[in-house]
Structures are given as structure tokens and as C-alpha cells.
Amino acid sequence: MVFLLTGIAIMMAGGLAALLVPRRGHWASTLGSTCVVAGCITGLIPAVRILLGAPAEVLHRSWSVPYGSFHVELDALSAFFLIPILLLCALAAIYGIEYLRPYRDRKSLGASWFFFSLLVASMILVTTARNIMLFLVAWEVMSLASFFLVTFEHEDEKVSQAGWTYLVATHLGTLFLLAMFALLGLHSGSPELAGGTSPVKAVADHANLLFILAIIGFGTKAGFMPFHVWLPEAHPAAPSHVSAIMSGVMIKTGIYGLLRTLTFLGPPPAWWGWLLIAIGLTSGVLGVLFALAQHDLKRLLAYHSVENIGIIAIGLGVGLLGLSLHSVSMAVLGFGGGLLHVLNHACFKGLLFFGAGSVLHATGSREIDRLGGLLKRMPWTGWTFLVGAAAIAGLPPLNGFVSELLIYLGALEGVRTTSPLHLLLMAGAVAGLALIGGLALACFAKAFGVVFLGEARSADAGGGHECGWLMRVPMLVLAAACVAIGLLGPLAVLSLARAIAVVGGMPENVVRATIANPRDVLIAVVGVSFILLLLTAGLIVFRRRLLEGRMVSSTVTWDCGYARPTARMQYTASSFAQPLTRFFQPFLRTRTALTPPVEYFPPSASLATHTDDVWREKGYSPVFRGAAWVFSKLRRLQHGRVQTYVLYIAVTLLALLLWKLR
């Protein structure tokens, strides 16, 4: 625990130091990023040690705060979530030095690095806090720090609006968490989340209600549909290294909170598992469909976060169902797939947001239809983006394939061992997971093809240039991680055993024996992948040898008779996705503006599509407008008279006194 707290102290010292030099962007970036990297490396030491078998570390100190204590614990589940948090935050800090360089003369980078450090520190505390009050304080600090990072360019009306949406949505989720923790503390008789009075027996009668509150409260942060509404607004608005953290790891604190809650709710009924599977399928299918309809590259990636959170929810739902049906294989494979996808999503989503940031940094545009042909100008960004795209689509031999394979195997265990009704429902879950994978593949074929292949569609894209090494190295590290976890899949799944044992409440030796079962399948996949990689490398070497010493010329590709092919003849994002968006029109409600060609050589023709998020337009917008109206009325309470403010305090104290004496 000493290392972890030292890491927090280092990064906060760096954040405060950066705050003291707000007008000197170079020093603010150097101090802030260096201390975040140093703090993350220091914090990784105990996290890795505990996952390798060391005992949990606990620190408990009393506080004078009512119901509060500084009670932190680093067990296997906390350590597992801390590893992607610390790794991705360290890489994002390095990336942010170069990414923020153009803002040095017009923005206060000191404040940005301070809130960046605060965000990382609060995520560490969220995953280790074992006291309700400490957890809620860390949760709120995490939300506020990320709000200030999202609104980095608050002068832009769209960014300001995105920050408002995020702030309202995250606090609506916190309201449900307050209710859950109040109920938990009231019935367990203790504000501690571990040790002391066991909350399991005390809350058994309220477990269903607590589970629902946890699903809404933590699901809002995680991005479960329909609580996802803030993701497509906040992630594109934030600087790209912040988007990578928010999408890659911050939303996973919602998954962590849900898993931690499950550890003290007792044995789960089957409907908990089915509910999570239903939420996962809804989030996965609709998330990827909305992603397919997007024209903004970062907004597309944000919707893919909703999709991948759906995949994680399916895995956890399969695990819960396995526990309720007393199927150890199903439980271990479901939880294992869900947990590994948490790590994998941090790797490939961080990589993809870094790639999108590099494109934005080079061209000044996120509009997919204004890009094109960037692979020739930005080969490092293009090839690493391709690795991330293949990984998120679940293609072997990359990491996304391994975690999705575990979830498939867990669901197939359910097909084999349960009743006909369960068999039918589980087969539907498997089919839904397959549909998500297929749609994700189509979406990233569109994103990579339109952005990086073909010819440039605008002058900005034509002038694109590769980013520097400070942005390039984090992308290379994450691409290597995607490949390494995929090729070392048999070892990666074994590293999950201790975390699965905490979530499932099962003996570690049983989990280790069960998680080793799919090893043969993974070894076969890895073996075939190695053969294919060697074959590809051999063909590349053979081609080079064959062309060695020969004259090689290049010419234009066959252009269907057009003498002057232009970028307008290429597929756009709208035209590429149109067959799928039209097929799923009842869900997407895409609006189309089409000017069809009317002659053999038409002077003009166009196709434009726009897809609104129906959950936001029909569900949340009225709530947000209502909240804005209420807050505008509350402004009357603030009028600058000190006497009235003192009266507010006195009335509040009197009310609290009466409540205490009742």
C-alpha cells in the first residue's frame, strides 16, 4: 500500500506544481506528465505483485468525518482494474505532451495537467476504497476532474453543451449510488465495504433492490444503454488523450463498482444474469449500429465504447447465470471473458483514440468524409490504427478475439447444460454476440477504408503529416499489447484466476483448474496464427527477393473508363454504410438527403445521412431542459446578501438538529 499511496502523492505533487506555472506551457506539461508517469509506475508495482500471488494489502485509519474512514484495500480485483488504469494513463500523459503543444500560447495547460493528475488519483482511490464515504468522495472527484478536462475548449458552444450533458448524467447516476449505499449502510450497520460486520446476511432481503440501484448508478458511468447518453457527447469534445482515458478506463470504474457490489450481495438469482445479458445485447447491437451511422471519427469510437461495454456485460451476465445454475465452467468463463475484455478494451480503444487524435492533430478534422488517403502520409498512425480496428472487431490473433472466445465458450456451456428455455435464450445470446462482431467489422472497414485508403477528399487531408515520437510511441506500445495478449492468450487467461475468484466467491484452485480448460482451444488458435504470420512474412520476403534488381513502375488502377479519377468517385462513409443503415432503419431512424445522378455524366449528385440518438432526443433532452429550467429558477437564491446566506445555514442546521432528535 505504501507504493500505491506514494504514487498518488507523486502525481498530485506534479499536478500542483503544474498549476503553479499556468502560463508556462512547456514546464506545466513536463512537470504534470513526468509525475503522472512516475506515479503510475510506482503504483503498478503492488498491483502486479498481488496479481502474481502476494496477499492483499490493507490500510485503515479513522477520520473525524461522520461515517468516514481512510480504509483502502488492494486485493486481486482492485489490482486487476488498476493495471489498465495505470498503464493507459501513463501512456496518455506521454501522448498529451505533444498533443497539447499547439495550445501552449492560448490555454492554461497547468490547470489541464492538474485535473489530469486528479482524475488518475481519484480512479486509484475508487478501485481501492473500502469505506462508503471515501468511495463516494473519490467517485465525485473523478466526475468533476473529468468534467473540467472535457470542457478544456469551453469557448466552443458544442464543447460546453457536452460538458453540461456529462455533468447532469453523471450526477443522476450518483443519486442512485447514494440511495444504494444509504440502504446498504442502514441494513448492514456499517459504512465499511469489507471486514467488520458482514453485509451479506444483513442485506439479503434487499439484494434485488440494491442490484437494480447498482445497475443504474454504475451503469450510467459504464455507458449501459440507455444510460449511455453522455458518452457520444463528452468523448469527442475532450482532448484525445483524455478521450482515451475516459473511454479506455474511466467507464470501467462503473464495471468495477458493479462487480464489487456483487461481492457482498450474496448468491445471485438467475434473473440478474439474464438482465445483464439483455442490457449487454441491447448496448452491443445498438451501440455498433449507431457507430456505423456516424461521420465524426471520435463520435464513432464513443459509440463503440457502448458496444464493448455491452460485450463485457454479456460476459458478466453469463458468469452470474453460471453462479445461479451452479455451473462453475460457465461462471468462470463468463467472468473471465468479461474481465479480460476490460483489459483488452483499454488497449485497443486507447490505441484508436490516440490514432483519431493523431489524425485530428495532423488535419484539423474529425469528419470522416473530409479525410482519405492518410495511410501514405501517416503510415505509423495508419498501421497501428489498423491493428486496433482488427482487435476491436475480434479478429484473431489479436486480443479482442481471446476475450470474446471465452464469452462464447461460457455461453455454449449454458447451451449444453441448461433447460430447453435456457438453451433457446442462450443460443439467442450467442447469435447476438456474433451479430455484434459482424457489425463491428463492417464499421471499422468503413472507418479505416474511408480515412486511410484511397485519395484525400480535402486539402486538409492532402496536407496531413505523421505525428512526432511522443504521440507515436504510446500507439506502438498499445498495438504491441494487442498483439501480445492475443498471441499469449493461454497465459493471459491464467492471470485472471485471482480476480475471478474474488468476483465469483469461488476457491482460487477451482478457478485455476477451470480457466485452464479452454487452453487447448487457445493454443490451437495461437498455433494457427503463428503459422499464418510466418507464411505472410515468408511471402513478403519472397516478393522482395523476386523484385530485387528488377525495374518496378507504378500506374493508376483501372478506373472504369474515367480518364480523370477523383476522390469524389470513392465510397463515402454514408454510401458505404447505407445498405446496413437502411436495413436497420426502424432502430436508427436515419434521415437521408439524396440528389441522384440524372445523366450519364451528371454535373452533381450527393448523398448525406444524419442519425440522431433517439434515447437522447426522446428521453434525455426533455429531462435536461427541465433541469435547466429548475436551475434557472434557483438562481434567485443567489443574490449576494450575506445575511440571507447566514439564514440559509441556520435553517439547514436547525433542520439537521430536528432530524437527529426525532
Side-chain angles (χ1 to χ4, degrees), residues 479-502:
C482 291
V483 177
I485 295 174
L487 293 179
L488 301 175
L491 294 177
V493 295
L494 285 177
S495 69
L496 302 169
R498 296 198 82 194
I500 297 172
V502 174

Side-chain angles (χ1 to χ4, degrees), residues 576-624:
F576 185 94
Q578 192 193 25
L580 284 171
T581 54
R582 180 184 292 173
F583 185 79
F584 291 100
Q585 177 66 10
F587 300 101
L588 295 175
R589 299 182 179 276
T590 299
R591 288 179 279 130
T592 303
L594 173 64
T595 306
V598 293
E599 302 172 358
Y600 289 116
F601 296 97
S604 65
S606 65
L607 169 66
T609 59
H610 183 76
T611 306
D612 289 320
D613 191 320
V614 291
W615 300 102
R616 176 182 168 77
E617 295 302 317
K618 304 295 182 186
Y620 285 88
S621 289
V623 175
F624 291 159

